[in-house]
Amino acid sequence: MRRITTWLLSTVSALVLLFSYHTSTGSGGGTAVAADANGAAGSTSGDSSATGSDATGSDATGSDATGSSTTGSDGSGAASDGTGTGDTSGDTGTGSAASGASGGLADGTYTGEAVQTRYGPVQVKITVSGGKITSSVVTQVPWSDHRDQEINAAAVPILNAEAVQAQSADIDMVSGATFTSQGYLGSLQSAIDEASR
Amino acid sequence: MSTLEIPVTSAGPRPPVLARRAWVEHVMGTAVSVHVRALDPGRADVEAAVDRAVAHLRRVETVLSTWRADSDLLRLQHGETDTAHAWVADVAELALEAEERTDGLFRAWRSRTGGRTVFDPTGLVKGWAVAGAAAHLDVVPEISYSIGAGGDVVVGAGPGPSADGPPWRVGVQDPYRSGRVAEVLTLRRGGVATSGASARGGHVLDPRSGRPVRRAGSCTVVGPDLTWADVWATAAWVDPGRAARLLAERDPGYRLVVL
């Protein structure tokens, strides 16, 4: 078995997505605020890479607040993080052993690369706790017209839950048809890669 | 036999511990990730092969992109050039074969209003390109790999015992309950392609009517060659029942998952 799936440390993610039209560089508008309130994860893991990549430019606020409709539905991601809160240091050894042997993930927060889709960039940020993805947040989505907004308002929280779900199902790759989710999966994958190093 | 002859440290044959390494590149409008399992996936020959695989995809993009105006394909269609990479002809030939094999459920040519016929091989280029990229990894000894490119997945292994290693698990997105994986396909070699309802509305045209396919769901095809899995997934999305019959008759090595 490639990943130890017996436990999760708790991670509480609070997420506010503020969207606006953004440029191709993605450093300005169109980004989102992702506030990860890590519980025990960073402190107990003893992993040096924890919290490393939190300070990306994408955390900048300052977008207009027109698109902040996704906050409520982030409950899906947060809810799935709530299990296994009792586990602390005892399991940490298991987790790091697994990561050495089978390419599991190192605890921390990782921002995937912005993936260009033909509709615009998609970027994902994940939180890894105990070698598993406990939350994922889209920090950049195509948001250039009204139709985009409708799609993404629905898709983003769903996709976030998907990352956590796919991880727990121990899957190497995902096959699917939805275009935006392909960009999402790509960025998610790069965040996972970052965590595997 | 004396126990002294047995080294203390090795308590018997154990399966080797395979490490895993992943690369992600942005190419062909999506992110392509390459995963390699090997005893030492940091080997220089592995790295070089992954580079070649990605370079292959980049080259395909410059030749066959349908949304980059500077691609050979579009410049040819717009009459801006007479010469094009040989891949354009290769793909056109493949598209003809695909049309024949699927009884026209797959078709890369469509007529636009005004009578002009447009060649749009999108339905097979990605699968074909990723299968071509994978060929660069097939020759690397003692690795197994998977490449995922926007929903198309190819899996394989180089020469050596790594081919018998743990299989790759490919999840198929549930098109009705997003966030869930409807099915997991386990394979050591082969391709998986999915065609289905896009968030943007139908982007697959039914060649018989010229209209986009508008319904929910998805069709996934798994089989030995990603190129043909991709073609059959597109055909199946147009007409699942008919494609299933044709597939059983003409390409029995492929399996169709209709969701």
Side-chain angles (χ1 to χ4, degrees):
Chain A
M1 191 158 159
R2 286 179 298 277
R3 296 186 187 103
I4 305 300
T5 59
T6 50
W7 61 281
L8 288 169
L9 289 175
S10 71
T11 299
V12 179
S13 296
L15 161 68
V16 179
L17 293 172
L18 300 172
F19 295 106
S20 68
Y21 184 84
H22 53 77
T23 62
S24 60
T25 62
S27 60
T31 58
V33 178
D36 286 359
N38 277 9
S43 55
T44 57
S45 70
D47 194 298
S48 59
S49 63
T51 73
S53 53
D54 224 344
T56 58
S58 61
D59 283 351
T61 55
S63 313
D64 61 88
T66 52
S68 60
S69 60
T70 55
T71 43
S73 41
D74 186 53
S76 59
S80 53
D81 297 334
T83 55
T85 52
D87 292 323
T88 50
S89 60
D91 290 320
T92 316
T94 319
S96 53
S99 69
S102 61
L105 308 176
D107 289 0
T109 304
Y110 304 91
T111 304
E113 294 175 61
V115 172
Q116 293 295 326
T117 71
R118 74 182 72 190
Y119 306 115
V122 175
Q123 190 169 36
V124 176
K125 183 162 126 179
I126 61 170
T127 300
V128 176
S129 180
K132 295 180 63 64
I133 300 171
T134 55
S135 78
S136 82
V137 171
V138 175
T139 61
Q140 224 185 95
V141 292
W143 204 262
S144 53
D145 60 35
H146 183 66
R147 178 92 178 107
D148 274 334
Q149 294 179 28
E150 284 178 4
I151 292 166
N152 288 315
V156 167
I158 287 168
L159 291 169
N160 290 343
E162 185 169 311
V164 179
Q165 171 82 21
Q167 171 80 1
S168 62
D170 198 10
I171 282 164
D172 296 306
M173 291 278 173
V174 178
S175 183
T178 306
F179 198 87
T180 305
S181 77
Q182 292 170 3
Y184 171 85
L185 288 170
S187 184
L188 170 66
Q189 189 62 61
S190 69
I192 291 172
D193 299 338
E194 193 60 39
S196 324
R197 283 180 187 128
Chain B
M1 182 164 100
S2 160
T3 52
L4 291 175
E5 291 170 322
I6 301 171
V8 181
T9 47
S10 71
R14 287 175 174 227
V17 178
L18 295 176
R20 173 165 160 171
R21 193 168 162 208
W23 292 258
V24 176
E25 297 285 341
H26 305 161
V27 56
M28 298 197 306
T30 186
V32 175
S33 59
V34 181
H35 286 218
V36 171
R37 283 195 201 126
L39 285 174
D40 173 18
R43 275 157 42 194
D45 62 331
V46 174
E47 187 106 31
V50 171
D51 285 349
R52 282 195 296 277
V54 172
H56 178 84
L57 297 176
R58 292 204 191 287
R59 189 81 186 99
V60 170
E61 184 178 26
T62 62
V63 172
L64 288 162
S65 169
T66 52
W67 55 289
R68 274 177 51 165
D70 61 343
S71 74
D72 285 29
L73 179 65
L74 288 192
R75 294 196 313 134
L76 199 66
Q77 300 223 1
H78 297 158
E80 293 165 14
T81 180
D82 292 333
T83 58
H85 195 284
W87 283 343
V88 176
D90 289 350
V91 163
E93 201 169 311
L94 190 61
L96 281 175
E97 192 187 343
E99 186 174 337
E100 196 179 301
R101 215 148 142 186
T102 61
D103 272 6
L105 291 178
F106 178 95
R107 189 169 153 78
W109 287 267
R110 62 172 190 268
S111 43
R112 276 203 175 144
T113 46
R116 200 162 67 95
T117 300
V118 181
F119 176 52
D120 178 4
T122 313
L124 60 72
V125 161
K126 187 146 60 77
W128 173 80
V130 174
H136 291 283
L137 296 170
D138 281 332
V139 297
V140 181
E142 318 230 330
I143 66 161
S144 72
Y145 68 84
S146 70
I147 304 176
D152 286 351
V153 178
V154 64
V155 167
S162 56
D164 303 320
W168 296 87
R169 293 167 58 82
V170 180
V172 179
Q173 277 181 354
D174 186 333
Y176 302 104
R177 297 180 306 157
S178 290
R180 305 220 170 233
V181 169
E183 180 145 353
V184 179
L185 305 166
T186 303
L187 64 164
R188 289 190 171 84
R189 284 183 195 278
V192 182
T194 299
S195 194
S198 152
R200 293 266 168 169
H203 69 303
V204 173
L205 299 178
D206 184 337
R208 298 166 303 183
S209 66
R211 299 225 172 95
V213 179
R214 291 197 191 282
R215 58 189 164 80
S218 71
C219 291
T220 298
V221 173
V222 54
D225 184 344
L226 176 60
T227 307
W228 287 100
D230 199 11
V231 166
W232 280 114
T234 307
W237 178 238
V238 169
D239 188 339
R242 192 148 162 235
R245 282 193 299 279
L246 289 170
L247 198 56
E249 186 184 303
R250 296 177 185 177
D251 271 328
Y254 292 76
R255 188 158 77 86
L256 170 62
V257 180
V258 180
L259 296 173

